[in-house]
Amino acid sequence: MALINNKTKKALSGSGVLLLAGLASLPLAAQEGHQLLRNNCGVCHAESGSADNPVFSRISEQRKSPEGWLMTINRMVHLRDVEISADDKRNLVRYLADTQGLAPDEAAPFRYLLEQDTNLIETGVDAELVETCARCHSGARFALQRRTEQEWQYLVDFHMGQFPTTELHALSRDRAWYEIARNQTASTLALQYALDTPEWSQWQSEPKADVTGRWRVVGFVPGKGEFDAVMLAERADDGRYDLSITGRYADGSELSGDGKATLYTGYEWRASLTLDGVRMRQVMALDEQGLSGRMFLAAEREIGGSIQAIQDQGEAAVLALLPSFVRKGEHAEVEVIGHNLQADSLSLGAGVVIEQILSQGPDSIRVRVSATGDEGIYPVQLGDVAQSAGLAVYEQVARVDVLPQDAVARIGGGGMMAKVRTAYRVVGYSAGPDGIPGTEDDLRLGYMPASWQILPADEEAEHDQDHIYAGEIDANGIFTPGIDGPNPERRMSANNVGRLTVVATVTDGEEVVEGSGNLLVSVPDFVRRVLD
Amino acid sequence: MKHLKSMNKKAHLINQAINPEQVEEVVAMQTVVGCTATTDPGWELDPFGGLGSLCQPMESDLYGCADACWWPAQVPDTMSTYPDWGNGVAKADEDWRKLDGIFEDGE
């Protein structure tokens, strides 16, 4: 591994002007990126290749997400004493994510990690890789990278050198971990997560969309509720976007803020905003439909909710209906959210009668509807054009799913470590044509209001009174864990940890439906990476 | 063992193990992202998916565990990556309030 490169050092100090002249034919971004790599990384990472196609040892044979690149550079700063300015770091992450990023299809199965939506048990990673790799950190951390086999091997070597006790853990000490990881796992990884893929070649050749303009947005903020808004994106001098957003929550209270966004790799939207004084982040992916992803508190990434946006293209378009469901035979008020709307062209198909238009504007129409038809989804029509949003007409809420289904909260607040809370929501379903809840044909109705409760997960948890010590859940479904430190009241002065069942109760007319989720209240996570 | 059910999809497999020594021959325990599946001992969960066999309270043998970089993605490994973590906090069970996390610059 030729990390030290005397040639580059000499070239940099000797003939900088000539070097720049040699690069003049390249597009500016590529030229700047190349220079950033030379200046900040070239001392250790040997440069080869040509001016149009420079190759830096260890850097050029990997592709990853913007966060993946950020983590690597952070690691260079911490472990290799690299000094890099905040501006150079930001520009380098952008350059690397643009030129050595992931195609949308490559990132799609693992977006939860990018969105910091980590309260789940991963299912998309091979058993072999779970045993060898995804047992200290997530599988998505490496599934969101593409490398040559040799680069996967070097990564194994790095782990072995940095964390030598890896070999002593269960699932290592019973076998030759290092040999297996280096010889077998690295080739599995190189097959599944190869550097060169048709997806990436295809994506690089595709034209990229422009995100400037007016966006119609719907989302959810825990504790505040659902909101709809208009977001304006303007191109700033530094290549980022200036954002401003105004809207309101479902309870009528207003929302406003501004911030900055960056579009990486032509589709990875990352924004930092201050919404009514609170710093928030948006992580979204851009596709033909628009933007979708998650928005969360910058200081507390577990507290967030889904967010979606469509761009104003001059035509009428619907983004969402609030609420998205009406019980069969009943009347309800529904708000249609979109762009360039006209009430006289709005319809909801034969089974949903629009009885009255309560208010109308280009961004929103409020109507009173009567659900006369049978159970099913009734897509919104604007003139002749069916929209992807629709209204669900249902007979009965048969099942409610508590989200997240599996979660971890962490004690804190007594010293340096903050509490890690969990934000819950409920999605309601009807039983669908087969009349049996929990089957494929269940009809998804949407998020529903619920009341919340915690119970001990089992007899042992009850015996240890986990439900008394581990924390509490509020009316908004936000669970706040207990304080950290030993608790002398508990057996052996145990921490306020516990295993709980989170129960949601949804009341729909006369009926009451319950759902539950598993919550582990645990000790702090003292190592918080950009990607778990 | 009933309490296996909650956090652990593969609990039924682990349930078949007769004693903790046999657990590792079965399968990696899958846990919520951010938790470690290294459970001998475990940080968030014990090998049975419960809390009964953890070092509790965690402050009692914190350095014994962290020095050996047993859970390097949850507790700073003072062996090679963060040698200074825990300096000035000689006894974690008394001085735990001073223990700080490693927070990576996420900007």
Side-chain angles (χ1 to χ4, degrees):
Chain A
M1 173 171 38
L3 273 171
I4 302 299
N5 181 357
N6 291 322
K7 216 172 64 212
T8 310
K9 260 194 208 155
K10 255 189 261 143
L12 270 179
S13 50
S15 52
V17 182
L18 273 178
L19 272 174
L20 280 175
L23 290 170
S25 58
L26 288 175
L28 193 68
Q31 229 183 77
E32 274 176 7
H34 187 175
Q35 204 57 49
L36 283 171
L37 280 172
R38 274 196 183 159
N39 294 348
N40 290 292
C41 324
V43 184
C44 303
H45 293 272
E47 185 180 344
S48 58
S50 62
D52 310 320
N53 194 14
V55 172
F56 288 86
S57 72
R58 300 298 322 269
I59 300 175
S60 301
E61 307 213 303
Q62 313 191 354
R63 294 190 284 119
K64 46 195 152 189
S65 65
E67 286 80 3
W69 281 115
L70 178 59
M71 274 179 80
T72 301
I73 298 178
N74 285 347
R75 185 146 74 72
M76 292 300 121
V77 170
H78 176 240
L79 290 182
R80 313 288 162 223
D81 295 323
V82 172
E83 281 178 27
I84 180 168
S85 70
D87 276 350
D88 275 11
K89 184 155 117 179
R90 185 175 335 106
N91 290 329
L92 199 48
V93 167
R94 195 162 85 208
Y95 171 72
L96 288 165
D98 285 350
T99 53
Q100 295 171 231
L102 300 175
D105 288 348
E106 293 177 322
F110 305 101
R111 297 209 64 79
Y112 54 88
L113 190 65
L114 301 173
E115 292 174 2
Q116 308 291 344
D117 188 10
T118 52
N119 275 323
L120 53 84
I121 294 173
E122 292 188 302
T123 52
V125 185
D126 263 28
E128 178 197 350
L129 298 179
V130 170
E131 285 192 7
T132 321
C133 303
R135 59 182 174 76
C136 297
H137 48 67
S138 67
R141 185 185 276 183
F142 53 84
L144 287 165
Q145 301 208 353
R146 298 293 181 273
R147 296 168 179 244
T148 57
E149 182 165 346
Q150 184 166 61
E151 273 305 321
W152 285 115
Q153 288 181 334
Y154 286 152
L155 181 66
V156 171
D157 294 348
F158 160 73
H159 278 74
M160 199 60 246
Q162 192 73 15
F163 315 112
T165 52
T166 304
E167 283 194 315
L168 308 178
H169 294 160
L171 294 159
S172 292
R173 60 172 177 263
D174 59 341
R175 66 195 78 177
W177 185 86
Y178 179 59
E179 278 69 34
I180 294 172
R182 200 169 203 283
N183 302 323
Q184 290 170 28
T185 314
S187 59
T188 305
L189 287 162
L191 275 176
Q192 284 190 23
Y193 307 124
L195 180 67
D196 297 315
T197 63
E199 290 86 354
W200 178 240
S201 320
Q202 172 69 26
W203 177 247
Q204 280 181 299
S205 67
E206 271 176 37
K208 304 297 182 294
D210 179 6
V211 294
T212 52
R214 187 177 194 273
W215 292 82
R216 194 73 175 96
V217 186
V218 290
F220 175 80
V221 178
K224 299 242 181 187
E226 281 174 328
F227 69 85
D228 74 275
V230 169
M231 182 170 75
L232 303 176
E234 264 177 56
R235 199 173 256 286
D237 294 340
D238 59 3
R240 292 192 281 176
Y241 298 88
D242 286 324
L243 302 180
S244 63
I245 183 167
T246 52
R248 65 193 166 83
Y249 291 100
D251 70 0
S253 59
E254 301 206 332
L255 153 169
S256 73
D258 50 30
K260 285 214 174 257
T262 305
L263 193 69
Y264 296 98
T265 332
Y267 73 99
E268 289 283 8
W269 171 279
R270 301 290 185 272
S272 261
L273 305 98
T274 305
L275 270 193
D276 301 315
V278 180
R279 290 199 50 226
M280 310 278 286
R281 294 222 170 124
Q282 296 176 342
V283 174
M284 297 197 270
L286 178 71
D287 64 16
E288 310 82 60
Q289 312 296 319
L291 288 164
S292 68
R294 184 167 178 268
M295 182 165 80
F296 48 91
L297 302 188
E300 219 184 332
R301 59 200 193 187
E302 296 76 16
I303 305 300
S306 59
I307 178 169
Q308 282 175 325
I310 52 171
Q311 195 172 17
D312 188 347
Q313 316 257 2
E315 281 164 19
V318 173
L319 172 60
L321 299 180
L322 296 178
S324 57
F325 46 86
V326 182
R327 195 162 166 149
K328 185 179 169 181
E330 292 189 355
H331 306 267
E333 275 183 27
V334 173
E335 183 170 2
V336 179
I337 289 164
H339 281 301
N340 308 310
L341 302 173
Q342 280 181 321
D344 53 9
S345 68
L346 178 73
S347 72
L348 278 157
V352 180
V353 180
I354 298 179
E355 297 180 318
Q356 196 187 345
I357 292 168
L358 301 168
S359 71
Q360 54 177 306
D363 291 335
S364 150
I365 304 174
R366 278 179 48 243
V367 292
R368 187 179 153 82
V369 300
S370 157
T372 54
D374 287 337
E375 188 164 281
I377 303 281
Y378 293 81
V380 188
Q381 298 260 132
L382 294 173
D384 299 338
V385 188
Q387 304 288 306
S388 55
L391 190 68
V393 172
Y394 69 98
E395 291 185 16
Q396 192 178 323
V397 177
R399 162 186 147 210
V400 297
D401 281 2
V402 168
L403 300 179
Q405 194 41 222
D406 297 290
V408 59
R410 295 182 188 266
I411 56 174
M416 307 294 282
M417 300 301 293
K419 294 183 181 199
V420 174
R421 302 184 295 165
T422 312
Y424 281 98
R425 283 183 97 179
V426 155
V427 176
Y429 293 82
S430 80
D434 68 0
I436 307 166
T439 52
E440 281 284 305
D441 72 346
D442 289 6
L443 191 66
R444 187 184 191 277
L445 306 177
Y447 292 107
M448 297 192 156
S451 62
W452 297 93
Q453 184 189 3
I454 50 168
L455 299 173
D458 56 25
E459 279 166 34
E460 196 177 306
E462 182 161 21
H463 178 260
D464 290 336
Q465 298 196 291
D466 288 359
H467 55 303
I468 309 284
Y469 291 111
E472 45 195 35
I473 195 159
D474 71 11
N476 293 314
I478 298 180
F479 176 84
T480 305
I483 196 162
D484 49 353
N487 184 349
E489 281 178 29
R490 301 196 83 179
R491 185 158 51 96
M492 316 266 289
S493 289
N495 299 125
N496 287 322
V497 295
R499 288 173 309 110
L500 303 173
T501 301
V502 173
V503 180
T505 308
V506 171
T507 309
D508 185 44
E510 309 269 277
E511 283 132 37
V512 175
V513 194
E514 267 188 14
S516 67
N518 307 313
L519 175 62
L520 170 68
V521 182
S522 188
V523 287
D525 177 0
F526 287 107
V527 185
R528 302 232 71 186
R529 297 267 170 233
V530 174
L531 298 177
D532 268 330
Chain B
M1 221 167 276
K2 292 185 256 26
H3 62 257
L4 283 171
K5 156 170 134 271
S6 63
M7 299 308 293
N8 177 2
K9 281 208 166 154
K10 297 205 171 151
H12 57 287
L13 290 174
I14 292 183
N15 208 6
Q16 291 158 6
I18 294 147
N19 59 47
E21 284 69 54
Q22 274 178 275
V23 166
E24 67 191 65
E25 290 159 24
V26 186
V27 71
M29 182 156 69
Q30 282 190 283
T31 51
V32 171
V33 170
C35 298
T36 175
T38 300
T39 55
D40 55 336
W43 180 240
E44 290 99 352
L45 284 172
D46 69 21
F48 305 104
L51 307 173
S53 310
L54 294 179
C55 310
Q56 267 293 327
M58 66 87 180
E59 291 84 355
S60 59
D61 188 27
L62 185 57
Y63 300 130
C65 301
D67 280 346
C69 93
W70 204 243
W71 313 290
Q74 287 74 23
V75 181
D77 92 88
T78 49
M79 197 161 112
S80 30
T81 317
Y82 302 102
D84 300 336
W85 189 74
N87 278 3
V89 191
K91 288 189 155 182
D93 51 349
E94 288 168 14
D95 296 332
W96 58 270
R97 284 184 187 77
K98 293 188 214 152
L99 284 173
D100 202 354
I102 306 293
F103 298 100
E104 195 171 355
D105 163 19
E107 199 59 66

